[in-house]
Amino acid sequence: MTPATQHHPSTPPIVAPSILSADFARIGEALSLIDPEREWVHCDVMDNHFVPNLTFGPIIVSAVRKLTSAWLDVHLMITEPLRLIPAFREAGADGITVHLEACADVRGTLAAIHDQGARAGLAIKPGTPLSAAERYLTELDLLLVMTVEPGFGGQAFMADMLDKVRAARDARERGGHHYLIEVDGGIGPGTARRAAEAGADVFVAGNAVFGTHDPRAALVSLRAEVGVPEAASRG
Ligand code: DX5
Ligand code: ZN
């Protein structure tokens, strides 16, 4: 089955609202705020094992897929994600990100994502140094630098992760790699700008969008803060 994605925006900067902070009883309304021409939808999958929280699996991803044509950026915070990659792809994930700390065979897991025709991302927790990911950088479409401990929305941004973002940018340039650098956790007014200045390309924001009384306005100002062009006419 080919996921019904029409738009594949991969030109940074990209804001990726996380539905974790949305009202799941009105998920269609939340998704309607997201512009498929320039935004991604970030889906946080948690297993109560790799992280203490428990969220959703492929069934919800496939429901989201039916409600938006936006790029589905699926962040798997689950132990040993390898055998579930086909299910998430089948559900409509465009990009699948796994945690370095959660995989026995990181290279094999990234290859499985590519075999399924999705873009492959690798996430590293705040305590994991960039050097641990170094040997995989050539294989990555996306490197996710966690700016909070994974598990929950609404946590405070860890400013000391900005050095890791800078190092990821430098490593990309030195090595001629092509991965996008994504930041996730505590991104909102102020922190989004700092992450952008440090070299981030993709900005996940849960609470700063869906935790506000005017999610639409919050999204508009986040776009402006990271420099997303006004018109939907970019390439
Ligand atoms: C945290 C998740 C995040 C979360 C971010 O483990 O990976 O994607 O939704 O939420 P905020 O933006 O509220 O920190
Ligand atoms: Zn996430």
Side-chain angles (χ1 to χ4, degrees):
M1 188 197 114
T2 309
T5 311
Q6 279 125 38
H7 305 284
H8 291 230
S10 56
T11 312
I14 297 163
V15 177
S18 166
I19 56 170
L20 186 62
S21 299
D23 178 355
F24 275 76
R26 303 167 83 179
I27 196 71
E29 211 172 292
L31 291 169
S32 72
L33 300 177
I34 296 167
D35 177 1
E37 296 279 353
R38 44 187 184 165
E39 254 102 54
W40 290 359
V41 173
H42 186 82
C43 302
D44 287 305
V45 177
M46 306 188 190
D47 68 349
N48 179 231
H49 185 266
F50 179 66
V51 291
N53 201 358
L54 182 65
T55 59
F56 54 81
I59 288 174
I60 295 293
V61 173
S62 110
V64 169
R65 173 76 295 157
K66 290 183 191 138
L67 292 166
T68 178
S69 61
W71 182 271
L72 295 191
D73 176 37
V74 175
H75 177 194
L76 299 182
M77 286 161 275
I78 64 180
T79 301
E80 282 309 330
L82 179 59
R83 65 183 184 281
L84 285 168
I85 302 296
F88 281 103
R89 177 60 175 160
E90 184 88 359
D94 295 297
I96 299 176
T97 297
V98 296
H99 268 267
L100 181 141
E101 307 87 356
C103 303
D105 177 8
V106 173
R107 186 160 280 124
T109 308
L110 295 171
I113 297 170
H114 281 142
D115 286 349
Q116 291 290 319
R119 301 272 183 94
L122 188 64
I124 49 176
K125 297 206 283 185
T128 303
L130 181 65
S131 59
E134 219 163 77
R135 77 192 80 159
Y136 310 112
L137 296 181
T138 48
E139 284 140 72
L140 300 186
D141 300 305
L142 181 140
L143 177 71
L144 170 47
V145 175
M146 289 303 301
T147 45
V148 298
E149 282 301 333
F152 299 93
Q155 301 183 75
F157 178 75
M158 295 170 72
D160 45 348
M161 292 301 116
L162 290 170
D163 278 342
K164 207 191 277 186
V165 172
R166 288 185 201 100
R169 176 182 59 186
D170 294 348
R172 179 175 63 193
E173 186 160 341
R174 264 201 323 275
H177 304 303
H178 70 276
Y179 54 80
L180 293 173
I181 300 168
E182 182 174 53
V183 284
D184 183 4
I187 297 295
T191 57
R193 185 189 315 272
R194 291 166 72 194
E197 285 165 0
D201 304 300
V202 185
F203 305 83
V204 177
N207 203 49
V209 173
F210 297 117
T212 63
H213 63 272
D214 190 348
R216 185 186 299 275
L219 182 53
V220 167
S221 71
L222 256 187
R223 283 175 190 148
E225 179 162 334
V226 301
V228 176
E230 284 281 336
S233 60
R234 61 203 198 121

